[in-house]
Amino acid sequence: MNSATSGPSKDPNPAPTAMVRLSPKASRNHEAIAAALRSQGIDFEQFVVLKRSLDARRKPAVVELIVGLGVDEVQCVKGEWQNVADAQPVVIVGAGPAGLYCALRLIELGLKPIVLERGKEVRERRRDLVQLIRQGKVDPDSNYCFGEGGAGTYSDGKLYTRAKKRGSWRKVLGWLVEHGADREILVETHPHIGTNKLPAIIADMRERIIACGGEVRFKCKVVGVERSAEAGVHGVHTTDGKVEGVAVVVATGHGARDVFEWMHQTGLKVERKPFALGVRIEHPQSWVNARQYKLRDGAAADELGLPPAAYALVTQTEGGGVFSFCMCPGGVIAPCATENGEVVTNGWSPSKRNNPWANSGIVTTVSEEDLDAQGHSGALGALDFQRMVERECSQAAGGNQRAPAQRLTDFVARRPSRDLPPCSYLSGLTSVDLTTLLPAFVVDRLIAGILDFDRKMPGYIHPDAIVVAPESRTSSPVRMPRDRASLQMEDAPGLYPCGEGAGYAGGIASAAMDGIRVAEAIAAREAVNLG
């Protein structure tokens, strides 16, 4: 990997574009696209697909292509890397997307990132995940949440965000491509990399940081910050000693409960925050395909060139909304606990999305009022409630990462299941009446929401659909307040909360974008200090 390369400048005279509509199969065939352009009377020497989006509302489904004429490659934003070995150091706690992108942007801006990660290198994590799945043993520092790349590395790699109009969205995608991702993510409406491909990309980003003079330290757990009245926060205490810098970025992800706890205990401001709680529901992917694409007579989606179908559902029920989250077509339900004695579910898909099941989180927001009613007050009240649910689910299922589960038909009828259908969750299931296990207000909302989903998507309450609990880590149960302009923690200058764990992101792309914003805020502050 090169230690330096510069990105292209913006073209003041962009190439003309055209739109064509083709069948899903034809949309990936160069000659078919060329023929469609010629049928519109368009002359061209070369072209490239700039955007590809499936319109499944049409019968049969079509793919809309935005084609750039006179160009042969999609523009990709690349980094302007430089050697920062002797530059001012910035300490970054956590090597997830927020931390990695913060580090890369700091390099562009002439500052030296020192990334501290409690877990292991991305490929070393695999052995711990195998132990987690097969033996039900959780390494509290190396699991689906902790380790190089963070939670997103081994849990899907979807790049959805509603903030695409911000400039850093293209930077996020461009840097992924620069470090090994398929260029198709620059084109697809809903880009997805896949759990099988992300590890190599993450490792390449780490090598980039090191090649430019930054540092990445593994198995280095942060247990406190170095703070003074004169200098503010200017370093951290770790299991290996003190690490100092001109600023500290806390980009730990929302599973780092011990970080929230020591921050609260040492007087750093942490606030209780609403979060989402619910279950994972898994259907046969063939049913989702047939329902979404309105396939008949046994037609298979892949034979028609259609990707495995997804869905997005939302409804309002008494007390709060219910919505689907992190829908994984052709995916797997995975055990994502960070401590023994608790169970947590999440979903992921490989790049081909070719597993026989589709799963999605179906959750409701646990509000401040809900937490008060449950007696969970204080800064860590939401965290305590989240932990309580995860432990009760683990105990009900028998421990060792077995998860409590129920047929969907039985869940909505509030009755135990005599047996369970096949499921992708490999750590083992125990038939449990989730309607008596989960908090009553959560159950009431979920059932009301699912009944409405069945009206919107007839057949959703499928006889072979299964409910697996809990889906409890969709968002952080705390927020680390920060100034809207400087992005520094209130009353702790030099400390920059960042990403999902701090309460300012909700996925890989938004966390990466927040990491970029924080890097730019630090660089602006240092420019003022040096000026």
Side-chain angles (χ1 to χ4, degrees), residues 112-378:
K112 176 181 177 177
I114 302 176
V115 183
L116 308 180
E117 171 55 53
R118 70 192 294 170
K120 302 176 183 179
E121 293 184 11
V122 67
R123 297 195 184 280
E124 287 187 48
R125 291 174 67 186
R126 288 180 175 174
R127 289 189 288 271
D128 298 316
L129 296 183
V130 170
Q131 175 180 272
L132 173 61
I133 293 169
R134 294 180 179 175
Q135 302 177 23
K137 296 180 180 178
V138 181
D139 182 330
D141 293 320
S142 180
N143 44 62
Y144 271 100
C145 293
F146 299 152
E148 186 179 21
T153 301
Y154 287 109
S155 53
D156 207 31
K158 287 188 288 291
L159 304 174
Y160 301 169
T161 178
R162 294 185 178 90
K164 294 181 182 179
K165 291 185 179 179
R166 297 178 186 173
S168 56
W169 163 245
R170 284 293 171 188
K171 193 184 294 285
V172 169
L173 295 185
W175 288 359
L176 285 167
V177 171
E178 187 174 3
H179 294 92
D182 194 310
R183 295 183 71 89
E184 284 294 298
I185 67 171
L186 303 174
V187 174
E188 300 290 349
T189 302
H190 297 296
H192 171 254
I193 293 176
T195 292
N196 54 317
K197 293 187 175 182
L198 265 171
I201 297 167
I202 297 300
D204 209 38
M205 286 184 170
R206 176 229 309 157
E207 292 303 319
R208 172 80 69 185
I209 293 168
I210 294 170
C212 291
E215 298 180 25
V216 183
R217 305 180 190 179
F218 295 105
K219 303 177 186 178
C220 185
K221 187 175 181 178
V222 174
V223 295
V225 298
E226 183 78 2
R227 185 182 185 188
S228 68
E230 300 78 18
V233 175
H234 57 278
V236 297
H237 299 283
T238 79
T239 48
D240 296 329
K242 186 166 65 174
V243 183
E244 293 189 303
V246 297
V248 173
V249 180
V250 180
T252 55
H254 57 57
R257 289 170 170 167
D258 58 323
V259 174
F260 304 150
E261 289 167 344
W262 64 249
M263 289 181 72
H264 180 59
Q265 291 166 3
T266 56
L268 294 170
K269 194 169 184 181
V270 176
E271 297 177 341
R272 186 182 72 173
K273 169 183 161 297
F275 72 104
L277 176 68
V279 296
R280 277 265 150 192
I281 294 183
E282 186 171 79
H283 289 82
Q285 181 65 56
S286 58
W287 176 80
V288 180
N289 290 344
R291 177 64 189 81
Q292 294 296 80
Y293 295 138
K294 294 190 170 48
L295 301 177
R296 297 177 180 176
D297 302 323
D302 57 347
E303 294 175 357
L304 300 172
L306 291 162
Y311 63 78
L313 296 167
V314 62
T315 190
Q316 190 65 33
T317 68
E318 184 177 354
V322 176
F323 56 95
S324 60
F325 172 85
C326 185
M327 200 279 164
C328 301
V332 170
I333 300 177
C336 293
T338 52
E339 301 174 30
N340 287 301
E342 65 186 24
V343 65
V344 178
T345 65
N346 195 4
W348 62 268
S349 300
S351 57
K352 293 184 178 180
R353 299 184 173 186
N354 56 356
N355 285 304
W357 297 284
N359 71 80
S360 179
I362 302 297
V363 296
T364 185
T365 299
V366 179
S367 67
E368 300 273 12
E369 293 76 15
D370 294 326
L371 292 164
D372 288 340
Q374 298 295 315
H376 288 270
S377 59

Side-chain angles (χ1 to χ4, degrees), residues 30-106:
H30 186 275
E31 291 305 318
I33 298 171
L37 289 171
R38 293 190 188 101
S39 71
Q40 296 183 37
I42 297 173
D43 294 324
F44 58 90
E45 293 184 3
Q46 55 190 9
F47 68 87
V48 67
V49 175
L50 300 176
K51 184 177 180 181
R52 180 184 291 110
S53 56
L54 177 68
D55 186 352
R57 296 169 298 179
R58 294 173 178 263
K59 305 304 170 195
V62 298
V63 175
E64 294 184 350
L65 303 174
I66 304 298
V67 180
L69 305 173
V71 291
D72 61 0
E73 191 172 66
V74 182
Q75 187 182 44
C76 178
V77 178
K78 294 184 179 181
E80 298 180 355
W81 315 119
Q82 56 183 308
N83 192 305
V84 293
D86 298 323
Q88 292 275 54
V90 175
V91 179
I92 301 172
V93 185
L100 290 173
Y101 272 79
C102 184
L104 292 169
R105 183 63 175 137
L106 285 171

